[in-house]
Amino acid sequence: MPKALFTDTSKCIGCRGCQVACKQWHGLPAEKTQFWGSYENPKALTAFTWRRVKFVEARGNGRVRWSFMSDNCKHCTDASCLAVCPTGAIFRRASGAVDINQNLCNGCRYCVSACPFGVISFNAETGRVNKCIFCPERVENGLAPACATTCPTGAISFGERGDLMAKAKARLEEVKKGGFPEARIYGETELSGLHSFYLLTRPPEAYGLPEKPKYAIASVFPDSAWSVAGALAIGVGAVVGFRERGRAAREEG
């Protein structure tokens, strides 16, 4: 059964415990940051920061209201990154997670251009790409991802996608009655369903999310160039992938 992460932004307090837990579990190094007009840091998801808490400030009636969102890869059902990867490095696990085989990644960065959420980053140190991979070594052993385990308010939940969606819809009604009429579930149907979906208290644009994310192959190979450039890239990538698989098999043997 497909799994999912459900993030309820109405419960997020911006503690960044999930952000730290992700780094600790995956052994990701700290990054030098600086104040750039917001309390959130770093400024964007990177090859070394796979989960990041967004701080959204809203002003009105002489008051300031904060909204927080723990952001990461959405693990789309219609995953543009997977579709454009020429070497087969990007693949889907049984849980629904979109993962990256670092041994097959050739650093072409088509996936970086294709992702409608901007969550994939190029790692200049390795020449490959990185993003949230859903903690497969935890999930496949019956554990929740590190971020969900750490969240002190229960804003991040992990489980069967269907069960979590039912939970999200019930919570949505509570949140709307609690003074957030614009609240919505983001990820139920977008890109045929996200495996990391959200309850938002404000419109998606407030959190830097596209209202209607698109399956973005065209952003990588625009217009008619797709038929030639796309086919050539995938053909070359297939050869590279075949060679890499052979090399990996020989090394394992």
Side-chain angles (χ1 to χ4, degrees):
M1 293 292 290
K3 305 287 186 181
L5 283 167
F6 165 48
T7 301
D8 182 348
T9 65
S10 71
K11 293 183 177 181
C12 182
I13 58 175
C15 72
R16 291 186 269 208
C18 55
Q19 188 170 317
V20 174
C22 178
K23 277 188 173 286
Q24 289 181 330
W25 181 259
H26 295 287
L28 300 172
E31 296 182 85
K32 186 176 181 180
T33 59
Q34 61 183 4
F35 183 71
W36 53 278
S38 172
Y39 290 109
E40 64 188 41
N41 259 308
K43 196 172 182 178
L45 291 169
T46 73
F48 305 114
T49 298
W50 299 352
R51 181 172 279 274
R52 168 181 169 272
V53 177
K54 294 183 177 181
F55 286 56
V56 181
E57 181 180 306
R59 297 174 181 268
N61 300 320
R63 300 179 59 188
V64 175
R65 171 178 283 179
W66 286 98
S67 297
F68 306 104
M69 175 188 167
S70 182
D71 191 28
N72 69 308
C73 174
K74 311 305 182 289
H75 299 278
C76 316
T77 295
D78 289 340
S80 296
C81 60
L82 191 155
V84 302
C85 180
T87 66
I90 300 180
F91 66 100
R92 189 181 306 280
R93 291 184 178 272
S95 64
V98 178
D99 204 339
I100 303 172
N101 184 333
Q102 293 293 309
N103 290 327
L104 296 182
C105 178
N106 66 358
C108 69
R109 286 173 267 191
Y110 293 156
C111 57
V112 176
S113 298
C115 177
F117 302 106
V119 302
I120 308 179
S121 299
F122 180 70
N123 186 334
E125 293 185 5
T126 65
R128 299 179 175 89
V129 296
N130 295 108
K131 69 174 188 68
C132 159
I133 55 174
F134 227 63
C135 295
E137 65 285 353
R138 295 178 62 88
V139 171
E140 292 174 5
N141 283 285
L143 300 174
C147 55
T149 302
T150 305
C151 182
T153 64
I156 303 175
S157 304
F158 177 75
E160 300 292 337
R161 189 176 187 277
D163 294 341
L164 287 180
M165 190 59 68
K167 174 183 176 180
K169 290 180 178 180
R171 175 62 180 166
L172 178 62
E173 294 307 311
E174 295 178 2
V175 171
K176 283 186 174 181
K177 292 177 181 178
F180 295 93
E182 293 183 302
R184 68 176 73 184
I185 294 173
Y186 186 87
E188 180 179 11
T189 59
E190 285 80 359
L191 296 173
S192 298
L194 309 181
H195 289 270
S196 182
F197 64 93
Y198 299 79
L199 189 158
L200 305 178
T201 60
R202 303 178 60 197
E205 308 87 70
Y207 302 89
L209 297 170
E211 173 74 27
K212 296 180 179 180
K214 297 180 179 180
Y215 194 54
I217 290 179
S219 69
V220 183
F221 302 112
D223 305 326
S224 60
W226 162 247
S227 60
V228 178
L232 178 60
I234 290 177
V236 171
V239 173
V240 173
F242 179 79
R243 289 178 177 175
E244 288 293 325
R245 290 186 181 91
R247 179 180 61 78
R250 289 193 296 274
E251 290 179 354
E252 290 177 0

